[in-house]
Amino acid sequence: MNDNIRSPVAQKQALSVPTDADAVHDELIALANDDVDVFGGRVFSLAYVPDPVTQSLSNDAYRMFAHTNGLNADAFPSLRRMQADVVSQILGWTHAPAGAAGFMTSGGTESLILAVRSALKMYQSSQSAGDTSPGRSPGRLNMVLPTSAHAAFEKAAEYFDVEARRIPVLPDWRANVSMMAEAIDADTVLLVGSAPQYPQGVIDPITELSELATSRNIPLHVDACMGGVTLTFLERAGEAIPLWDFRLNGVTSLSVDLHKYGYTAKGAGVLLYRDKQRRAAQTFVTDNWLGGLYGSSGILGTKSGGPIASAWAVMRHLGDSGYQALTVTARDAALRLANHLEQHDVLQLRSWPDSTLVSFGTRSNDESIFAIADVLRTKGWYLDRQGPPPSLHATINAVHESVMTEFLRDLDDASSRVSASGTTGRTSTYGTIE
Ligand SMILES: Cc1ncc(COP(=O)(O)O)c(C=O)c1O
């Protein structure tokens, strides 16, 4: 790597001195040198790689629309059309009823924050309409969710000052519905389940959560950011998948990410609602400034058309049969890893994967699992580190099928070396704040 690129002082200078476009291009290549190798399948986190033709189409679509602005689709009817097509496709996949609607978002975190906002606004408008329970003393509003639900719900809780009432999961890592029922009170604005949850890759009992939501008249968000595409196509491939989508009457909103198992460029997800009223509650409109009427569907103002175009182009190209094939390939790779771990003498599978997420630790449940990750890293493999309990997490996608034999060999080698040496490694964060 070029030292000029590394030094912060040189970096500043680099940005103030006009530089030939070819030289800048070379510098970009140099900058990417230290990044993990996404396309070779050595990264089990953060990135999803389809076949080369789809990948190249996605890149082209992104480039063509990168400088368009989804803030105002009047100027870019192309973006309106592409977003409508994408949302409509996912409404179909998730068996949404007539009247359901949604928006594209920048991904899972924005979807989850907006799902909380919509639930809050709906609750507040029902209160101002006089729909209060007798004898009730209003407290801090809360949402009831399992400890496994994604960290972005904490972000929403902090942003909106809502209590995230976290309920411990059962020994099988799934939501404990009866404990969640006990945690509900008159200030509960939302229940949450995941299909699947990220940490151990299991689907919460969404049917029971839906019954609870219906009986207590509280909205239920299903976080299918990870599983929305995969579960749709595993079911179509004949796997017995428990219900998790709008076929369950209590499900009021649902998030599906495209930049994960939709294999599209980063910055694309979908947030769907059972009805348009709930969708309207996520939007924002003001004329309280000197610039006229301003409205936006999500958190962002200006938003690049690149991710929208990539999503539309990839979905149009792959169609249902393309997704079916990618899903089955990813599932086969995930099951190969799960089977291997089930018989391992050092490593322990946390749970049989309900989709394509595989989590594992050591049989002794200690931090030596992170030393195993360190050894794997020296061979170019990158896995997420998480806990409690100390575990590694593999988000398996289609690209991993071709490297699984090599990965299993290196995993075995790393685990025997670490067991023999008795070393422990370090954990790391799932995201960064730099
Ligand atoms: C279940 C689940 N929900 C939400 C998210 C957040 O998605 P994003 O990182 O796209 O904001 C993730 C990310 O891995 C996830 O696994």
Side-chain angles (χ1 to χ4, degrees):
M1 161 85 57
N2 180 343
D3 279 348
N4 287 337
I5 292 174
R6 282 240 169 106
S7 140
V9 177
Q11 261 176 29
K12 265 191 205 149
Q13 286 169 353
L15 297 186
S16 35
V17 179
T19 309
D20 177 73
D22 287 340
V24 174
H25 190 262
D26 290 347
E27 287 178 4
L28 286 171
I29 292 171
L31 278 168
N33 261 347
D34 286 348
D35 291 351
V36 288
D37 170 19
V38 166
F39 298 104
R42 301 186 86 81
V43 180
F44 288 93
S45 161
L46 303 166
Y48 304 76
V49 184
D51 61 277
V53 171
T54 307
Q55 185 64 53
S56 153
L57 175 65
S58 170
N59 294 348
D60 286 348
Y62 196 104
R63 221 186 336 257
M64 283 170 69
F65 286 85
H67 292 274
T68 62
N69 192 339
L71 175 59
N72 190 336
D74 282 346
F76 299 104
S78 57
L79 299 183
R80 188 197 304 281
R81 160 77 199 277
M82 289 191 277
Q83 291 186 88
D85 285 352
V86 166
V87 168
S88 150
Q89 182 73 356
I90 313 289
L91 285 167
W93 285 355
T94 56
H95 304 92
F103 284 119
M104 280 191 78
T105 64
S106 59
T109 299
E110 188 182 8
S111 293
L112 300 185
I113 290 172
L114 290 173
V116 174
R117 171 175 157 84
S118 167
L120 265 174
K121 298 277 281 187
M122 292 295 289
Y123 178 89
Q124 283 155 352
S125 60
S126 75
Q127 295 300 295
S128 57
D131 178 15
T132 48
S133 324
R136 120 169 191 63
S137 58
R140 188 173 173 226
L141 301 180
N142 68 76
M143 56 183 157
V144 174
L145 69 175
T147 43
S148 55
H150 194 267
F153 285 108
E154 295 299 313
K155 199 183 254 192
E158 193 185 296
Y159 283 7
F160 300 133
D161 191 23
V162 177
E163 179 193 347
R165 206 164 270 181
R166 292 274 184 173
I167 308 302
V169 291
L170 291 165
D172 68 359
W173 309 104
R174 291 172 222 277
N176 184 333
V177 180
S178 52
M179 264 188 86
M180 285 177 70
E182 282 166 28
I184 293 173
D185 62 21
D187 298 314
T188 302
V189 300
L190 184 66
L191 299 177
V192 172
S194 307
Q197 42 93 304
Y198 175 84
Q200 288 80 28
V202 297
I203 303 174
D204 284 327
I206 308 293
T207 300
E208 286 89 326
L209 283 173
S210 165
E211 283 160 7
L212 175 64
T214 311
S215 69
R216 304 290 283 270
N217 197 22
I218 298 172
L220 168 64
H221 181 80
V222 173
D223 177 1
C225 287
M226 268 294 179
V229 179
T230 305
L231 297 179
T232 297
F233 288 97
L234 285 182
E235 184 179 340
R236 292 191 192 181
E239 283 212 32
I241 305 291
L243 289 182
W244 57 275
D245 62 13
F246 284 116
R247 282 170 287 186
L248 297 168
N249 288 333
V251 176
T252 48
S253 58
L254 204 152
S255 47
V256 177
D257 280 355
L258 300 170
H259 64 203
K260 295 188 169 74
Y261 287 98
Y263 292 92
T264 79
K266 294 286 175 262
V270 163
L271 174 58
L272 307 174
Y273 295 94
R274 184 171 282 280
D275 55 70
K276 293 206 172 63
Q277 209 192 345
R278 289 177 202 282
R279 185 182 69 162
Q282 86 160 56
T283 59
F284 177 80
V285 179
T286 186
D287 61 1
N288 190 21
W289 70 318
L290 301 183
L293 189 64
Y294 174 98
S296 72
S297 65
I299 295 175
L300 305 182
T302 285
K303 63 173 179 181
S304 169
I308 297 168
S310 161
W312 187 87
V314 168
M315 291 174 75
R316 175 107 178 91
H317 173 62
L318 288 174
D320 286 2
S321 59
Y323 278 116
Q324 183 85 43
L326 286 169
T327 301
V328 168
T329 305
R331 175 74 168 158
D332 287 350
L335 295 186
R336 275 181 72 192
L337 174 56
N339 271 312
H340 188 80
L341 290 165
E342 268 221 319
Q343 291 149 26
H344 214 276
D345 48 359
V346 177
L347 301 171
Q348 185 171 54
L349 182 64
R350 294 279 173 237
S351 172
W352 191 253
D354 282 343
S355 64
T356 44
L357 310 185
V358 179
S359 164
F360 59 97
T362 59
R363 290 198 171 274
S364 48
N365 242 340
D366 58 18
E367 299 214 330
S368 66
I369 191 67
F370 301 134
I372 293 174
D374 289 341
V375 175
L376 287 169
R377 190 84 174 89
T378 63
K379 297 186 177 190
W381 302 106
Y382 183 96
L383 289 97
D384 270 343
R385 300 164 193 231
Q386 67 178 29
S391 309
L392 299 182
H393 185 282
T395 303
I396 310 282
N397 72 79
V399 76
H400 294 126
E401 175 62 9
S402 62
V403 297
M404 193 48 79
T405 303
E406 186 190 351
F407 176 68
L408 295 180
R409 197 190 56 221
D410 285 351
L411 179 63
D412 288 349
D413 178 54
S415 66
S416 353
R417 277 167 58 189
V418 169
S419 322
S421 70
T423 48
T424 59
R426 53 171 185 89
T427 184
S428 68
T429 55
Y430 171 100
T432 55
I433 52 169
E434 286 163 19

